[in-house]
Amino acid sequence: MNTIVTKFGGSSLADANQFRKVREIILSDDRRKFVIPSAPGKRNSKDFKITDLLYLCHAHIESGIPLDDVFNLISNRYKAIVCELEISLDIDNYLQKIKNDIENGASKEYAASRGEYLNGIILATYLNFKFIDAKDVIIFNKYGSLDTDATYKALNSVLSKSEKSVIPGFYGSDSNANIVTFSRGGSDVTGALIAASINADLYENWTDVSGFLMADPRIVKNPMQIKKITYRELRELSYMGASVLHEESVFPVRNAGIPINIKNTNMPLDPGTLIVKDMEPDYDNPIKGIAGKKDFTVISIEKAMMNTELGFCRKVLSILEQNCISFENMPSGIDTVCVVISDSQLKNKTDILVDEIRRTCTPDSIVVHPNMALIATVGNGMSSNKGIAAKIFSALSSNNINIRMIDQGSSEINILIGIENDDFEKGINAIYNSFN
Ligand code: ASP
């Protein structure tokens, strides 16, 4: 292995002490050549994220309110880091310029990006690495979307000439030199693009948890850690709400077949979670994780001989499309089809949909089940392992939970069940306990 691209999240760089840990991690392995920092995050639950404060500064100016008080919180954080680390850097100068720019009408995205920019400069100085401004290598088109080709071209030309460097995450620029940011948490994407562009051997993503857990720790007490997972399994789990990584950050490295290692800055020896392209199913532990979400509505449509009626499902789906509603899932039987829609999509349009489906598709019955939760049980050992579904169903039934919907996608790495919202936490625990 030659090159590791290393991204540190906001909590890993929240204060001088965290910077010290980060430095030790980077210098402990010579293969860590390219480092991507986020902006300083929260130091405790009552603290503020620098990015949030920068957005707030911009909002103050837009509303004609002086930004001094908010900007002081930002200045004090950076000054303390530079002072405690005894770095020789004129941080006041950088801060003054950013303050002036925001006061003089700089864009919201410019303001937000300065958290990563300053952290990049501080970290590069502290490590004695080169600083590469992300505006020169992460390129957006005029519509604000990433220009992948231009980005890889710029990254290849700049990084091929650079030895150890720090490149701030979260932002880039467009062809008019305007700063553009990814969506929140986007430093993950910057790191993934850099890893893919140099075909790194590993993309490390350092955060404040030791990787993924088998279930949400707010629901299951002390869930087991996932040591290794495939991109596909991860996709199924994150779709269902389990999140550590920015969604878009997986695709560049996944396409290039580069593994991602989620690591904990506060416990650097912990192996974390390794995300890989392929792995042999673990027959002894066929389930990787359990995740779920609440607040779905299931519209269940029944019509005799539905299976012979050409275009029935198409008509149902075009009604959804005309009403700008996307659906999550569509399990079907011979004479029935269910459409699962999240309530945030539905936005109280249930009656309109039911009425249009009734008029256009003339079903025998149409029943609406609100307040539903979906739980996904995911694992690539599932397809070749007998009794997984039976275990899930008996765990739920012995906990007195009524299953309203079942769907096993053809990928056979996910069994999805629909239950009442009120049974959600109990259901996750029941499934988790039946496999552990
Ligand atoms: N600092 C940005 C945010 O808070 C980006 C990141 O942390 O990845 O969203």
Side-chain angles (χ1 to χ4, degrees):
M1 196 187 284
N2 289 318
T3 310
I4 301 175
V5 168
T6 312
K7 182 255 161 180
F8 289 92
S11 57
S12 302
L13 291 163
D15 60 20
N17 201 30
Q18 292 300 88
F19 265 76
R20 287 192 192 99
K21 293 182 193 168
V22 163
R23 183 170 192 262
E24 207 169 310
I25 291 166
I26 295 167
L27 300 185
S28 69
D29 191 328
D30 205 36
R31 296 168 304 172
R32 295 191 173 113
K33 293 192 181 124
F34 298 107
V35 181
I36 293 85
S38 286
K42 292 185 184 190
R43 294 160 291 185
N44 54 59
S45 58
K46 293 202 175 76
D47 199 13
F48 306 106
K49 282 181 162 197
I50 290 291
T51 311
D52 291 335
L53 295 175
L54 286 161
Y55 279 121
L56 201 56
C57 284
H58 182 265
H60 273 62
I61 295 304
E62 279 218 307
S63 316
I65 304 167
L67 54 63
D68 301 69
D69 289 348
V70 186
F71 200 83
N72 277 343
L73 296 172
I74 300 173
S75 300
N76 292 342
R77 284 285 284 282
Y78 283 111
K79 282 186 196 171
I81 292 172
V82 170
C83 171
E84 283 173 44
L85 296 178
E86 298 178 9
I87 300 172
S88 106
L89 182 75
D90 189 356
I91 191 72
D92 289 309
N93 209 11
Y94 285 102
L95 288 164
Q96 192 55 53
K97 173 167 176 7
I98 292 169
K99 186 172 182 230
N100 289 346
D101 287 345
I102 300 176
E103 282 175 332
N104 291 328
S107 73
K108 186 170 161 183
E109 299 192 47
Y110 169 87
S113 73
R114 296 304 87 184
E116 270 71 11
Y117 171 78
L118 284 178
N119 246 11
I121 289 182
I122 297 172
L123 189 60
T125 315
Y126 186 45
L127 294 170
N128 206 9
F129 277 23
K130 183 177 165 189
F131 173 76
I132 297 175
D133 194 338
K135 78 173 170 43
D136 301 323
V137 285
I138 304 291
I139 313 296
F140 289 83
N141 64 25
K142 60 179 176 191
Y143 307 110
S145 311
L146 181 76
D147 184 336
T148 315
D149 291 344
T151 296
Y152 282 136
K153 206 167 149 209
L155 281 170
N156 285 335
S157 99
V158 174
L159 299 187
S160 61
K161 292 181 228 119
S162 311
E163 257 300 283
K164 308 205 165 175
S165 315
V166 174
I167 308 117
F170 189 42
Y171 72 92
S173 69
D174 65 16
S175 54
N176 292 323
N178 297 313
I179 295 292
V180 184
T181 58
F182 290 110
S183 56
R184 296 298 305 265
S187 300
D188 284 347
V189 189
T190 312
L193 290 166
I194 290 170
S197 78
I198 59 158
N199 204 10
D201 297 282
L202 182 65
Y203 173 33
E204 282 181 340
N205 197 304
W206 291 79
T207 169
D208 55 0
V209 291
S210 292
F212 292 96
L213 299 172
M214 265 193 83
D216 186 337
R218 288 167 300 185
I219 300 175
V220 173
K221 207 166 158 217
N222 293 329
M224 304 233 294
Q225 194 183 320
I226 304 175
K227 297 252 177 309
K228 204 169 171 185
I229 186 168
T230 64
Y231 290 119
R232 272 181 70 203
E233 290 169 315
L234 178 69
R235 167 87 185 117
E236 303 271 349
L237 286 174
S238 26
Y239 171 71
M240 267 298 138
S243 72
V244 171
L245 280 171
H246 189 292
E247 278 247 307
E248 289 162 45
S249 70
V250 175
F251 294 104
V253 272
R254 178 181 178 159
N255 293 343
I258 300 166
I260 308 174
N261 199 177
I262 310 285
K263 299 267 291 176
N264 187 346
T265 303
N266 305 318
M267 295 171 73
L269 297 180
D270 194 303
T273 299
L274 189 65
I275 308 161
V276 294
K277 200 167 182 182
D278 289 311
M279 65 184 279
E280 281 297 312
D282 179 348
Y283 297 110
D284 296 328
N285 302 296
I287 298 309
K288 282 297 165 51
I290 302 147
K293 285 196 242 179
K294 280 181 168 179
D295 298 327
F296 290 92
T297 294
V298 177
I299 302 180
S300 178
I301 309 159
E302 191 170 342
K303 186 172 189 182
M305 307 300 285
M306 179 190 286
N307 62 329
T308 60
E309 186 174 324
L310 216 56
F312 187 88
C313 289
R314 183 189 48 74
K315 281 190 240 165
V316 174
L317 294 185
S318 35
I319 293 169
L320 295 184
E321 191 179 347
Q322 280 150 21
N323 284 283
C324 297
I325 293 171
S326 68
F327 69 99
E328 304 289 321
N329 230 277
M330 201 174 179
S332 62
I334 302 170
D335 288 333
T336 57
V337 63
C338 294
V339 202
V340 183
I341 305 168
S342 96
D343 290 348
S344 58
Q345 277 287 318
L346 205 50
K347 293 190 198 102
N348 301 326
K349 287 187 189 161
T350 314
D351 292 344
I352 302 174
L353 284 187
V354 169
D355 184 56
E356 285 185 31
I357 294 172
R358 203 168 262 137
R359 276 189 291 111
T360 318
C361 309
T362 56
D364 297 335
S365 81
I366 173 161
V367 182
V368 177
H369 305 281
N371 306 321
M372 297 276 292
L374 296 182
I375 300 180
T377 306
V378 175
N380 69 347
M382 190 178 268
S383 58
S384 38
N385 216 320
K386 286 186 222 69
I388 305 284
K391 229 171 170 176
I392 296 173
F393 302 148
S394 57
L396 294 172
S397 87
S398 53
N399 279 276
N400 218 4
I401 297 170
N402 189 15
I403 303 176
R404 305 291 294 269
M405 189 206 81
I406 303 164
D407 191 18
Q408 179 172 24
S410 52
S411 66
E412 279 200 72
I413 63 167
N414 182 4
I415 294 177
L416 195 69
I417 52 132
I419 58 177
E420 301 277 342
N421 268 345
D422 288 348
D423 287 330
F424 179 68
E425 286 81 6
K426 196 160 73 158
I428 297 243
N429 272 293
I431 299 173
Y432 178 85
N433 291 332
S434 70
F435 288 99
N436 290 291

